[in-house]
Amino acid sequence: MSVETSPENRAQQSLGTAAARNLATTTKSVPQMQEITSRWLLKMLPWVQVQGGTYRVNRRLSYAVGDGKITFVQTGERVAVIPAELGELPALRGFEDEAVLGELAARCVQREFAAGEVLASAGGAVDAVYLLAHGRVELIGAGPYGGEAVLGVLADGAHLGEQALVSEAARWESTARAATAATVLVLSRADVLNLAERATGLGEHLAGFALVPDQRTNKYGEAAIDLAAGHVGEAVIPHTYVDYEGAPREYELSVAQTVLKVHSRVADLYNQPMNQTEQQLRLTVEALRERQEDELVNNREFGLLANCDYSQRLQPHDGVPSPDDMDELLSRRRGSKLFLAHPKAIAAFGRECNKRGLVPESVDFEGHRLPAWRGVPIFPCGKIPLSAERTTSIICMRTGEDEQGVIGLRQSGIPDEIEPSLSVRFMGIDEQAIISYLVTAYYSAAILVPDALGVLENVEVSRWR
């Protein structure tokens, strides 16, 4: 009678795999890093060599008005405008009396408008300034064939009716209607005039603004150049010159730095088959480049989102990124080179195309198949913020110095450079035998003319129907 031996009681007949690994040379990968992305923006920007660390953008003289966004503060359900932000209104540009601006801000009355409710009707008297704290407002006019036409869309931070500050005869040129629920602060003309009678300087400032003659400009706001064309005989030919901005903007190179530390024992003993110092440095450089792209998108001083001209900021007509919105974004500039969008925004645009039975074309770029619209490739960029409300932005730009577009700035040839404008400097060994390296990257970006860059803001990415 045979006796079965359980697997647990059998004697081991060969070397186990756990022990064998102690004598084997494993096949291993280099250290992996999930943070690494495609970084299309760094690849697509034309990089300009900047000597002296500063790049000056000289432009033809433009007459700027206060057409920027207004910032608000929210406490529960109450919303208030920051007093200094009232300087974004054209008539208050340059007025610096903080006490008076504070009183003007206190006189703003908060109102809530439901979707479809009219804020102001075309032809009516402009008797108040409307500051849009939250929501979307459509400007409605008469279409060429009798119907309604949407002339524009305003969103958070916009304002309308600023003529009320300086003109009693001003009339609304279009109807302002809430497209969504909207929170608006209303500053009436009566309140402004009442304060101007008591506050020193406000009345004079507003009167002086009303008396300033309109500057002769082209449609871009640049100082006009007098020319004569199509004349016959001995007509008097106008004299002219091209005026430049007196204080052109200068972009200083920004810096991203870190100190990489490697113990000398690790560098000496544990460098086969892979050099530990090289791998540490490789991952550090990758992280630095990721930070560089993030700064180029989001930095308040030179980032693309913050420095886009307000006239080039668009709002989607229905919240989602539709083909119509992308066409509008393209129409604002010549020679658009690329779109830059969050991957979820690209997916949302694809859904809108599917609803309409459209198939976006694709283009081949360095072996990658990328979606495109009207032949302009759409590059994914996860650095573009995605808000808690699931909204984001889509960037469209023209690039290159020769095209008066967007350019990247860097300075090559710096000491201990391992990549253009990126250096690794040996800092020494401390008393704990730790080797230190200073890793530095210099960079910035410049928008040569305002229409080189456009942004489609507040794009919804979570709507599926």
Side-chain angles (χ1 to χ4, degrees):
M1 180 175 179
S2 62
V3 179
E4 293 288 341
T5 304
S6 64
E8 294 80 4
N9 296 328
R10 289 177 183 170
Q12 183 174 329
Q13 302 182 49
S14 63
L15 181 66
T17 56
R21 287 191 66 217
N22 295 329
L23 300 181
T25 301
T26 60
T27 301
K28 57 184 70 67
S29 73
V30 297
Q32 305 298 299
M33 181 175 174
Q34 191 171 344
E35 185 184 6
I36 298 175
T37 65
S38 53
R39 299 197 293 266
W40 286 113
L41 179 58
L42 298 188
K43 297 175 183 177
M44 294 303 297
L45 276 183
W47 292 93
V48 174
Q49 173 73 358
V50 176
Q51 299 291 14
T54 302
Y55 185 89
R56 179 180 297 159
V57 178
N58 289 307
R59 291 178 179 171
R60 185 172 155 190
L61 179 64
S62 298
Y63 295 105
V65 297
D67 58 355
K69 285 192 173 182
I70 295 176
T71 304
F72 303 85
V73 292
Q74 182 178 1
T75 305
E77 295 182 350
R78 304 304 302 169
V79 176
V81 61
I82 298 175
E85 290 293 304
L86 291 175
E88 294 295 342
L89 299 173
L92 293 177
R93 174 62 64 90
F95 185 72
E96 299 178 352
D97 191 324
E98 296 182 1
V100 175
L101 290 176
E103 192 162 349
L104 281 174
R107 292 179 179 229
C108 293
V109 178
Q110 181 175 339
R111 291 186 59 186
E112 304 291 336
F113 291 88
E117 192 173 351
V118 173
L119 284 71
S121 300
V126 183
D127 57 359
V129 182
Y130 293 85
L131 311 177
L132 183 55
H134 181 67
R136 288 161 46 85
V137 172
E138 294 178 338
L139 303 180
I140 309 297
Y145 301 103
E148 288 187 347
V150 178
L151 306 180
V153 180
L154 305 178
D156 303 7
H159 56 81
L160 63 159
E162 57 273 7
Q163 305 94 322
L165 299 178
V166 294
S167 175
E168 186 176 359
R171 299 284 170 178
W172 291 104
E173 297 180 356
S174 58
T175 296
R177 185 171 65 197
T180 65
T183 300
V184 179
L185 297 185
V186 182
L187 178 62
S188 69
R189 173 176 170 80
D191 281 340
V192 175
L193 295 179
N194 178 268
L195 181 59
E197 292 177 356
R198 300 184 294 102
T200 304
L202 178 59
E204 292 80 358
H205 182 87
L206 295 177
F209 179 85
L211 293 175
V212 173
D214 291 336
Q215 303 286 356
R216 295 183 60 253
T217 64
N218 60 19
K219 65 179 181 179
Y220 303 104
E222 298 172 328
I225 298 177
D226 294 328
L227 302 171
H231 57 274
V232 295
E234 298 180 352
V236 177
I237 300 176
H239 295 211
T240 190
Y241 67 96
V242 181
D243 206 355
Y244 302 133
E245 287 184 347
R249 179 170 180 178
E250 294 184 347
Y251 293 84
E252 294 185 357
L253 291 184
S254 182
V255 60
Q257 288 180 310
T258 188
V259 176
L260 172 63
K261 293 189 175 183
V262 181
H263 200 285
S264 59
R265 182 171 64 251
V266 173
D268 292 342
L269 303 179
Y270 300 95
N271 59 357
Q272 292 295 334
M274 299 175 191
N275 187 295
Q276 291 281 5
T277 303
E278 288 182 1
Q279 294 303 320
Q280 289 278 302
L281 181 59
R282 179 181 67 85
L283 296 181
T284 302
V285 169
E286 293 283 1
L288 209 60
R289 289 303 193 196
E290 293 291 332
R291 181 59 180 270
Q292 175 181 348
E293 185 176 60
D294 184 88
E295 291 284 298
L296 291 175
V297 173
N298 299 301
N299 187 280
R300 297 296 303 174
E301 294 297 323
F302 58 84
L304 300 181
L305 290 178
N307 287 271
C308 179
D309 191 83
Y310 288 111
S311 65
Q312 299 295 324
R313 297 173 186 259
L314 306 179
Q315 304 298 323
H317 284 78
D318 193 33
V320 293
S322 69
D324 300 327
D325 297 317
M326 299 291 274
D327 283 340
E328 180 71 15
L329 193 57
L330 278 177
S331 70
R332 295 298 184 97
R333 68 199 41 77
R334 60 176 173 83
S336 296
K337 184 75 172 180
L338 62 105
F339 289 104
L340 207 63
H342 193 281
K344 290 187 178 296
I346 298 177
F349 175 63
R351 289 195 295 271
E352 291 306 304
C353 290
N354 292 339
K355 291 178 184 178
R356 303 189 183 195
L358 301 175
V359 180
E361 58 187 308
S362 61
V363 296
D364 183 82
F365 182 82
E366 296 182 353
H368 298 270
R369 298 299 297 178
L370 297 170
W373 184 249
R374 306 295 188 194
V376 180
I378 306 174
F379 291 92
C381 179
K383 311 300 190 307
I384 298 177
L386 185 65
S387 72
E389 292 79 20
R390 309 295 287 175
T391 61
T392 183
S393 300
I394 297 177
I395 298 173
C396 182
M397 72 178 86
R398 180 177 67 246
T399 60
E401 270 190 314
D402 294 340
E403 295 294 330
Q404 299 185 110
V406 181
I407 58 174
L409 307 177
R410 68 186 182 191
Q411 182 172 329
S412 301
I414 58 178
D416 301 313
E417 185 177 70
I418 63 169
E419 293 181 8
S421 205
L422 189 150
S423 67
V424 178
R425 290 187 175 183
F426 175 68
M427 298 177 63
I429 306 175
D430 65 12
E431 295 179 353
Q432 283 75 42
I434 296 177
I435 309 171
S436 297
Y437 299 91
L438 177 64
V439 187
T440 305
Y442 297 101
Y443 55 86
S444 188
I447 304 168
L448 299 187
V449 295
D451 75 347
L453 177 70
V455 177
L456 182 65
E457 299 180 315
N458 300 316
V459 170
E460 293 183 34
V461 300
S462 298
R463 191 190 304 181
W464 292 83
R465 292 184 296 174

